[in-house]
């Protein structure tokens, strides 16, 4: 029996064994993905749940070194999608039977922003007859804000830790009060306290990142007892500080391989959580999202941001579907899911089984 088979048979996941899995090649790699597929089928099934994604605003007060919409990037035209268009997108999601919406924004903390999200939450509730699931992805906020939004109807929140290693975190963010690692951790804990289905995630294939870091990221997610995960490859953006270290970024092949293995291992470690197949997977390689579904992901987030604004929400270079609303049309999403051997779930929120068991 190979080392990989032994680890999977025993179900023993520590830093050392996870590193072995991340390095798996050949038959061992096939065994890893087969195990992830088996666990996915058993615990979350073959259905893929959809979340209509609205990139509400690219205004941001932060300056993360990897992100194309950081406040120091003057080339970006800043926008906020006007309410009528937000409502159209919500209607589209509801009418399409997608089951959930995700509201994603740059990081803003002022009262008018907080209120705006609250208004949108009320509108989602109204348009969707209280049937639509709502995920927010609006960065670090005070616990009071998290509570307000929870009361207004949000019940899931995604806040990526980006990297659970503090040293690496500070290679990706300015070392200042606005980008404090401990504050990020505290925010994640507060989300759990407020009763959100809590999601986090990391970028994979960053400059300076090691296999050990990735193993620690998976352990972090398990120990934090997350309900959802969104993770994907790091993609360079020319107008960011991290671009200086382009030569340290692993090849596309390596980033793809590591991203798929991260998904597969997480599925095996945290059987009943929701794992998203992210847009960055698709940016890295054509068909990336199908591959992520096959590796263990069970959530897809079709972009429903009005086309006019999409181009300005460029977190990284070559984001797909910028001028092509059809890229994420209902039919193409359905086909994508079919190609991955899965079934599209309509009219269901698709909450992570992990959450109800945790609560
Ligand atoms: N490559 C990949 N992912 C990125 N994100 C931001 N910039 C990049 C990039 N260059 C991810 C971050 C953030 C999410 C909204 O997008 O993980 O949390």
């Amino acid at each position: 029996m190979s080392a990989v088979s032994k680890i999977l048979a025993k179900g023993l996941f520590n830093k050392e064994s996870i590193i072995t899995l991340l390095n798996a090649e050949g038959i061992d790699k096939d065994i890893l993905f087969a195990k992830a597929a088996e666990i996915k089928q058993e615990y979350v099934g073959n259905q893929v749940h959809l979340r209509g994604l609205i990139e509400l605003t690219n205004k941001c007060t932060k300056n993360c070194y990897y992100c194309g919409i950081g406040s120091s990037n003057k080339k970006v035209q800043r926008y906020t999608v006007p309410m009528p268009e937000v409502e159209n997108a919500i209607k589209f999601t509801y009418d399409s039977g997608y089951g959930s919406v995700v509201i994603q924004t740059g990081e803003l903390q002022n009262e008018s922003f907080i209120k705006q999200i609250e208004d949108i939450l009320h509108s989602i509730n109204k348009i969707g007859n209280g049937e639509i699931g709502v995920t927010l992805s609006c960065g670090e906020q005070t616990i009071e804000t998290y509570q307000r939004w929870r009361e207004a109807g949000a019940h899931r929140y995604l806040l990526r830790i980006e990297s659970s290693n503090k040293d690496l975190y500070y290679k990706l963010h300015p070392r200042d009060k606005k980008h404090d690692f401990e504050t990020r951790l505290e925010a994640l804990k507060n989300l759990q306290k407020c009763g959100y289905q809590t999601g986090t995630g990391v970028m994979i294939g960053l400059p300076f990142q090691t296999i050990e870091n990735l193993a620690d990221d998976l352990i972090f997610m398990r120990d934090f007892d997350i309900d959802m995960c969104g993770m994907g490859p790091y993609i360079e953006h020319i107008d960011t500080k991290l671009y200086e270290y382009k030569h340290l970024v692993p090849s596309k092949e390596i980033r793809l391989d590591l991203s798929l293995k991260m998904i597969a291992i997480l599925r095996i470690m945290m059987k009943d959580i929701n794992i998203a197949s992210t847009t960055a997977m698709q940016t890295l390689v054509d068909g990336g999202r199908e591959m992520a579904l096959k590796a263990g992901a069970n959530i897809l987030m079709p972009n429903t941001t009005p086309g006019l604004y999409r181009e300005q929400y460029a977190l990284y270079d070559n984001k797909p579907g910028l001028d092509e609303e059809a890229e994420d049309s209902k039919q193409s999403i359905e086909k994508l899911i079919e190609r991955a051997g899965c079934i599209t779930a309509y009219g269901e929120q698709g909450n992570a089984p992990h959450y109800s068991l945790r609560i």
Side-chain angles (χ1 to χ4, degrees):
M1 221 193 210
S2 72
V4 164
S5 302
K6 274 188 202 152
I7 294 164
L8 295 176
K10 279 195 196 149
L12 186 68
F13 299 100
N14 53 36
K15 190 161 173 175
E16 199 192 335
S17 68
I18 295 172
I19 291 171
T20 303
L21 296 179
L22 286 168
N23 284 322
E25 284 304 334
I27 288 203
D28 279 340
K29 193 162 125 178
D30 297 342
I31 293 172
L32 170 66
F33 286 122
K35 181 73 180 179
E38 180 194 316
I39 303 256
K40 180 184 162 187
Q41 182 63 37
E42 186 179 342
Y43 286 85
V44 292
N46 203 23
Q47 293 197 323
V48 175
H49 283 93
L50 303 176
R51 282 91 177 87
L53 171 67
I54 305 173
E55 295 157 337
L56 179 72
T57 179
N58 64 356
K59 293 178 189 165
C60 189
T61 54
K62 286 204 162 176
N63 244 319
C64 308
Y65 293 154
Y66 44 86
C67 182
I69 63 167
S71 62
S72 68
N73 186 0
K74 303 297 174 217
K75 290 189 190 162
V76 177
Q77 211 180 321
R78 303 289 163 172
Y79 73 83
T80 301
V81 181
M83 196 58 167
E85 291 179 60
V86 173
E87 287 178 339
N88 279 342
I90 299 165
K91 275 187 203 118
F92 170 80
T93 287
Y94 186 56
D95 295 343
S96 307
Y98 283 4
S100 296
V101 292
V102 178
I103 306 291
Q104 194 172 77
T105 68
E107 207 169 296
L108 303 167
Q109 279 110 356
N110 58 70
E111 173 56 31
S112 79
F113 174 73
I114 297 170
K115 173 77 172 45
Q116 184 186 13
I117 297 292
E118 226 169 23
D119 291 344
I120 291 173
L121 290 167
H122 291 140
S123 186
I124 293 171
N125 191 39
K126 220 161 142 191
I127 294 169
N129 294 315
E131 294 163 23
I132 312 186
V134 191
T135 310
L136 292 181
S137 179
C138 307
E140 290 163 26
Q141 303 288 341
T142 63
I143 191 162
E144 290 77 23
T145 302
Y146 286 150
Q147 263 155 355
R148 258 174 84 175
W149 290 343
R150 183 86 182 84
E151 275 155 30
H155 61 123
R156 308 184 189 120
Y157 205 104
L158 276 173
L159 180 67
R160 289 191 182 179
I161 190 75
E162 314 296 358
S163 168
S164 63
N165 181 284
K166 203 167 160 173
D167 290 336
L168 180 55
Y169 191 88
Y170 285 120
K171 290 196 169 88
L172 309 175
H173 303 92
R175 216 178 252 277
D176 61 22
K177 251 182 111 182
K178 233 194 243 174
H179 300 80
D180 185 55
F181 181 74
E182 309 298 336
T183 308
R184 184 90 155 190
L185 268 183
E186 199 55 39
L188 260 179
K189 286 183 195 153
N190 285 340
L191 288 166
Q192 271 182 344
K193 269 191 210 152
C194 293
Y196 282 95
Q197 289 174 52
T198 305
T200 194
V202 295
M203 283 174 288
I204 299 155
L206 289 156
F208 314 109
Q209 190 179 46
T210 63
I211 292 279
E212 284 77 9
N213 292 151
L214 290 172
D216 282 334
D217 288 339
L218 290 171
I219 292 170
F220 171 85
M221 293 187 231
R222 181 191 57 199
D223 292 350
F224 208 91
D225 205 14
I226 57 164
D227 305 299
M228 326 183 287
C229 176
M231 60 183 168
Y234 164 68
I235 316 260
E236 308 88 319
H237 188 296
I238 192 160
D239 299 316
T240 59
K241 192 162 161 135
L242 213 56
Y243 200 75
E244 277 173 41
Y245 301 100
K246 196 178 183 297
H247 57 287
L248 297 179
V249 179
S251 69
K252 276 193 178 188
E253 289 72 25
I254 292 178
R255 277 179 281 167
L256 176 66
D257 181 68
L258 283 176
S259 298
L260 294 173
K261 282 173 176 164
M262 286 288 283
I263 291 173
I265 300 168
L266 185 65
R267 172 57 68 205
I268 299 168
M269 288 173 71
M270 300 193 74
K271 304 176 166 40
D272 55 358
I273 65 169
N274 277 343
I275 303 178
S277 166
T278 57
T279 314
M281 291 295 305
Q282 188 69 24
T283 308
L284 188 74
V285 291
D286 205 25
R289 285 190 294 189
E290 280 109 287
M291 293 182 210
L293 291 176
K294 283 189 187 153
N298 65 323
I299 301 290
L300 207 60
M301 295 162 45
N303 198 340
T304 61
T305 310
L308 181 66
Y309 306 103
R310 277 192 209 186
E311 179 177 353
Q312 298 303 329
Y313 202 87
L315 305 180
Y316 35 81
D317 289 339
N318 305 318
K319 224 179 123 198
L322 286 186
D323 46 16
E324 220 189 308
E325 267 165 279
E327 171 101 10
D328 270 0
S329 72
K330 196 172 169 185
Q331 286 107 312
S332 53
I333 287 292
E334 221 170 73
K335 279 197 199 125
L336 184 168
I337 291 172
E338 237 172 67
R339 282 197 300 274
C342 300
I343 296 162
T344 312
Y346 286 113
E348 287 174 19
Q349 289 193 359
N351 294 305
H354 189 79
Y355 176 77
S356 34
L357 296 173
R358 178 164 74 78
I359 289 303

